[in-house]
Amino acid sequence: MYSCHSRPQSGFILMLLVVVMAVGAVAFFSLYHDNASLRYQSDVYLKQMSQLNEVKQQLLKYAVFQPELYQSDLVSNSRTYKEAGKLPGPGYLPCRDLDGDGWVLGAETSCGNPRDTADDTSGFVYGFLPVGFKTRNFYFGALEPRQFYYVVDERFVNGNNLYNNGSTGRYAPLNITLSPAMGPDAPPPNGLPDGTLPWLTLNGVEGYVALIIFPNVPQVFQDGFAQDRSQSGTAIERIADYLDQRFDVNGHQVDGNADGNRHFFSQSRENIGVNDLVVGITFSEWQNAVMNRVCSQLDSLTQVDSNAAYWFNDYDAVQNPSGGNWRSFTGACGL
């Protein structure tokens, strides 16, 4: 029997289905958009972390190949080899780029800030990552000046005139135990005790030789400060425009990357306000890299006269200022 109510009911059901489908479509496309956005953010993050880790490996390579990088000078298109006693040992890292041109030139070639245990802004130097190196062993590819910040324990740089050491301009001896420690020529502060480890921290963990920082997109912070990277100035003067502030859950500013002290933080849920990405070289990673180099050449290195001025032999401020006491660590090879 035909019902007069069937057509209106059918229309109502059809309208209800249309509404449900529309809501479902909105939810689907919203979810699709969110997922696409998350995938994009994930891809960007992975690319940035890959770049940071590549920089880290290149810096370790730079440290490992120090003797080779500085074994000769090119003068008037002629290669002149340096005396063996003037070659730096493995382990040294470059100074930082201050003016943002990508190179370490002039006054930038010496960077020192001896540690005062009462001063958290001492014991390291920072600036832009120098990307202008061009050698067969060490390169940064297509990286741009000012793209990364670079922080390094000042004892590990290959140019530091606060440590004269027979005019080498480097801290010495630099080895896997940092012993015996030699203080800077010009006090204060006094020299550090033997075996004093690096005190740079990343996310609260101490013991980093160097940090590489990718300054993420500029931010406006909770206190209203807006990062502006279009301004001129050195890496030290412009640090707040590149590196981030950090806040606690109550909105109070706490140690962050722009403070100029030895404590640094990488992007995480716990580090409120920080979108910088940071990768570090720990002291143990540095130890492993340089010892692998020494052990791989053990046969040839042990043939060197132990009394000769050479980086493998014992340090002496006058007779062998480039010495690193590496001969005494050969027992660790093969362990």
Side-chain angles (χ1 to χ4, degrees), residues 287-308:
Q287 287 175 308
N288 289 335
V290 291
M291 275 307 296
N292 284 340
R293 183 251 157 86
V294 170
C295 293
S296 68
Q297 291 185 293
L298 195 57
D299 289 344
S300 60
L301 289 172
T302 52
Q303 298 301 312
V304 176
D305 183 349
S306 61
N307 295 313

mmCIF file of all heavy atoms in Angstrom, residues 287-308:
data_model
loop_
_atom_site.group_PDB
_atom_site.id
_atom_site.type_symbol
_atom_site.label_atom_id
_atom_site.label_comp_id
_atom_site.label_asym_id
_atom_site.label_seq_id
_atom_site.Cartn_x
_atom_site.Cartn_y
_atom_site.Cartn_z
ATOM 1 N N GLN A 287 88.185 11.387 20.347
ATOM 2 C CA GLN A 287 89.234 10.439 20.723
ATOM 3 C C GLN A 287 89.303 9.271 19.736
ATOM 4 O O GLN A 287 90.385 8.887 19.274
ATOM 5 C CB GLN A 287 88.971 9.891 22.127
ATOM 6 C CG GLN A 287 89.220 10.862 23.263
ATOM 7 C CD GLN A 287 88.806 10.258 24.595
ATOM 8 O OE1 GLN A 287 87.683 9.775 24.741
ATOM 9 N NE2 GLN A 287 89.702 10.274 25.558
ATOM 10 N N ASN A 288 88.148 8.699 19.434
ATOM 11 C CA ASN A 288 88.112 7.542 18.532
ATOM 12 C C ASN A 288 88.629 7.901 17.146
ATOM 13 O O ASN A 288 89.368 7.123 16.522
ATOM 14 C CB ASN A 288 86.686 6.996 18.432
ATOM 15 C CG ASN A 288 86.232 6.310 19.701
ATOM 16 O OD1 ASN A 288 87.050 5.828 20.485
ATOM 17 N ND2 ASN A 288 84.928 6.267 19.923
ATOM 18 N N ALA A 289 88.247 9.076 16.654
ATOM 19 C CA ALA A 289 88.655 9.481 15.308
ATOM 20 C C ALA A 289 90.171 9.650 15.210
ATOM 21 O O ALA A 289 90.807 9.134 14.281
ATOM 22 C CB ALA A 289 87.942 10.775 14.913
ATOM 23 N N VAL A 290 90.756 10.366 16.165
ATOM 24 C CA VAL A 290 92.197 10.614 16.066
ATOM 25 C C VAL A 290 93.006 9.351 16.379
ATOM 26 O O VAL A 290 94.060 9.113 15.772
ATOM 27 C CB VAL A 290 92.635 11.794 16.965
ATOM 28 C CG1 VAL A 290 92.087 13.103 16.428
ATOM 29 C CG2 VAL A 290 92.219 11.595 18.407
ATOM 30 N N MET A 291 92.520 8.522 17.295
ATOM 31 C CA MET A 291 93.252 7.289 17.586
ATOM 32 C C MET A 291 93.191 6.312 16.419
ATOM 33 O O MET A 291 94.161 5.590 16.146
ATOM 34 C CB MET A 291 92.713 6.628 18.851
ATOM 35 C CG MET A 291 93.318 7.165 20.133
ATOM 36 S SD MET A 291 95.140 7.162 20.176
ATOM 37 C CE MET A 291 95.515 5.410 20.105
ATOM 38 N N ASN A 292 92.073 6.283 15.713
ATOM 39 C CA ASN A 292 91.987 5.434 14.518
ATOM 40 C C ASN A 292 93.026 5.852 13.492
ATOM 41 O O ASN A 292 93.641 5.009 12.825
ATOM 42 C CB ASN A 292 90.585 5.507 13.909
ATOM 43 C CG ASN A 292 89.574 4.702 14.691
ATOM 44 O OD1 ASN A 292 89.928 3.807 15.455
ATOM 45 N ND2 ASN A 292 88.294 5.016 14.514
ATOM 46 N N ARG A 293 93.223 7.159 13.369
ATOM 47 C CA ARG A 293 94.223 7.652 12.425
ATOM 48 C C ARG A 293 95.627 7.232 12.867
ATOM 49 O O ARG A 293 96.432 6.745 12.062
ATOM 50 C CB ARG A 293 94.132 9.175 12.321
ATOM 51 C CG ARG A 293 95.117 9.762 11.296
ATOM 52 C CD ARG A 293 96.243 10.520 11.962
ATOM 53 N NE ARG A 293 97.413 10.603 11.100
ATOM 54 C CZ ARG A 293 97.625 11.532 10.177
ATOM 55 N NH1 ARG A 293 96.751 12.483 9.980
ATOM 56 N NH2 ARG A 293 98.728 11.514 9.462
ATOM 57 N N VAL A 294 95.939 7.439 14.151
ATOM 58 C CA VAL A 294 97.263 7.087 14.666
ATOM 59 C C VAL A 294 97.513 5.585 14.520
ATOM 60 O O VAL A 294 98.576 5.156 14.054
ATOM 61 C CB VAL A 294 97.399 7.521 16.140
ATOM 62 C CG1 VAL A 294 98.665 6.940 16.760
ATOM 63 C CG2 VAL A 294 97.410 9.045 16.249
ATOM 64 N N CYS A 295 96.530 4.784 14.897
ATOM 65 C CA CYS A 295 96.711 3.330 14.855
ATOM 66 C C CYS A 295 96.845 2.808 13.428
ATOM 67 O O CYS A 295 97.561 1.830 13.180
ATOM 68 C CB CYS A 295 95.546 2.639 15.561
ATOM 69 S SG CYS A 295 95.500 2.950 17.348
ATOM 70 N N SER A 296 96.172 3.460 12.486
ATOM 71 C CA SER A 296 96.249 3.004 11.095
ATOM 72 C C SER A 296 97.634 3.243 10.499
ATOM 73 O O SER A 296 98.009 2.613 9.511
ATOM 74 C CB SER A 296 95.192 3.712 10.245
ATOM 75 O OG SER A 296 95.492 5.089 10.104
ATOM 76 N N GLN A 297 98.409 4.151 11.090
ATOM 77 C CA GLN A 297 99.752 4.466 10.592
ATOM 78 C C GLN A 297 100.844 4.004 11.548
ATOM 79 O O GLN A 297 101.981 4.452 11.455
ATOM 80 C CB GLN A 297 99.893 5.982 10.405
ATOM 81 C CG GLN A 297 99.071 6.575 9.282
ATOM 82 C CD GLN A 297 99.394 8.052 9.138
ATOM 83 O OE1 GLN A 297 99.083 8.846 10.018
ATOM 84 N NE2 GLN A 297 100.029 8.410 8.037
ATOM 85 N N LEU A 298 100.487 3.128 12.452
ATOM 86 C CA LEU A 298 101.394 2.798 13.548
ATOM 87 C C LEU A 298 102.759 2.320 13.059
ATOM 88 O O LEU A 298 103.801 2.731 13.593
ATOM 89 C CB LEU A 298 100.751 1.742 14.445
ATOM 90 C CG LEU A 298 101.388 1.549 15.815
ATOM 91 C CD1 LEU A 298 101.397 2.853 16.587
ATOM 92 C CD2 LEU A 298 100.647 0.478 16.597
ATOM 93 N N ASP A 299 102.789 1.469 12.051
ATOM 94 C CA ASP A 299 104.069 0.921 11.578
ATOM 95 C C ASP A 299 105.016 2.023 11.120
ATOM 96 O O ASP A 299 106.207 2.014 11.458
ATOM 97 C CB ASP A 299 103.835 -0.077 10.440
ATOM 98 C CG ASP A 299 103.205 -1.368 10.931
ATOM 99 O OD1 ASP A 299 103.242 -1.602 12.156
ATOM 100 O OD2 ASP A 299 102.667 -2.124 10.103
ATOM 101 N N SER A 300 104.497 2.967 10.344
ATOM 102 C CA SER A 300 105.367 4.035 9.835
ATOM 103 C C SER A 300 105.693 5.059 10.919
ATOM 104 O O SER A 300 106.815 5.577 10.982
ATOM 105 C CB SER A 300 104.714 4.730 8.637
ATOM 106 O OG SER A 300 103.474 5.302 8.999
ATOM 107 N N LEU A 301 104.745 5.350 11.792
ATOM 108 C CA LEU A 301 104.983 6.351 12.829
ATOM 109 C C LEU A 301 106.037 5.896 13.831
ATOM 110 O O LEU A 301 106.863 6.697 14.293
ATOM 111 C CB LEU A 301 103.673 6.672 13.562
ATOM 112 C CG LEU A 301 102.631 7.466 12.770
ATOM 113 C CD1 LEU A 301 101.321 7.552 13.542
ATOM 114 C CD2 LEU A 301 103.146 8.866 12.451
ATOM 115 N N THR A 302 106.017 4.632 14.172
ATOM 116 C CA THR A 302 106.991 4.147 15.156
ATOM 117 C C THR A 302 108.404 4.067 14.589
ATOM 118 O O THR A 302 109.365 3.867 15.344
ATOM 119 C CB THR A 302 106.571 2.770 15.699
ATOM 120 O OG1 THR A 302 106.316 1.880 14.609
ATOM 121 C CG2 THR A 302 105.324 2.891 16.563
ATOM 122 N N GLN A 303 108.547 4.231 13.272
ATOM 123 C CA GLN A 303 109.872 4.268 12.666
ATOM 124 C C GLN A 303 110.530 5.639 12.809
ATOM 125 O O GLN A 303 111.741 5.784 12.591
ATOM 126 C CB GLN A 303 109.783 3.916 11.170
ATOM 127 C CG GLN A 303 109.252 2.519 10.886
ATOM 128 C CD GLN A 303 110.095 1.440 11.529
ATOM 129 O OE1 GLN A 303 111.322 1.450 11.423
ATOM 130 N NE2 GLN A 303 109.439 0.504 12.210
ATOM 131 N N VAL A 304 109.729 6.644 13.181
ATOM 132 C CA VAL A 304 110.262 7.998 13.357
ATOM 133 C C VAL A 304 111.133 8.028 14.616
ATOM 134 O O VAL A 304 110.766 7.471 15.660
ATOM 135 C CB VAL A 304 109.117 9.024 13.483
ATOM 136 C CG1 VAL A 304 109.673 10.421 13.767
ATOM 137 C CG2 VAL A 304 108.272 9.034 12.215
ATOM 138 N N ASP A 305 112.278 8.677 14.522
ATOM 139 C CA ASP A 305 113.181 8.817 15.662
ATOM 140 C C ASP A 305 112.424 9.466 16.824
ATOM 141 O O ASP A 305 111.835 10.539 16.681
ATOM 142 C CB ASP A 305 114.367 9.689 15.254
ATOM 143 C CG ASP A 305 115.412 9.832 16.361
ATOM 144 O OD1 ASP A 305 115.134 9.441 17.514
ATOM 145 O OD2 ASP A 305 116.499 10.361 16.056
ATOM 146 N N SER A 306 112.428 8.823 17.972
ATOM 147 C CA SER A 306 111.668 9.318 19.122
ATOM 148 C C SER A 306 112.207 10.639 19.660
ATOM 149 O O SER A 306 111.526 11.321 20.435
ATOM 150 C CB SER A 306 111.660 8.272 20.242
ATOM 151 O OG SER A 306 112.981 8.008 20.684
ATOM 152 N N ASN A 307 113.418 11.023 19.252
ATOM 153 C CA ASN A 307 113.993 12.295 19.693
ATOM 154 C C ASN A 307 113.776 13.417 18.681
ATOM 155 O O ASN A 307 114.164 14.562 18.935
ATOM 156 C CB ASN A 307 115.498 12.134 19.944
ATOM 157 C CG ASN A 307 115.780 11.188 21.097
ATOM 158 O OD1 ASN A 307 115.175 11.296 22.160
ATOM 159 N ND2 ASN A 307 116.697 10.249 20.883
ATOM 160 N N ALA A 308 113.172 13.085 17.555
ATOM 161 C CA ALA A 308 112.968 14.089 16.506
ATOM 162 C C ALA A 308 111.809 15.017 16.857
ATOM 163 O O ALA A 308 110.888 14.650 17.597
ATOM 164 C CB ALA A 308 112.695 13.391 15.177
#
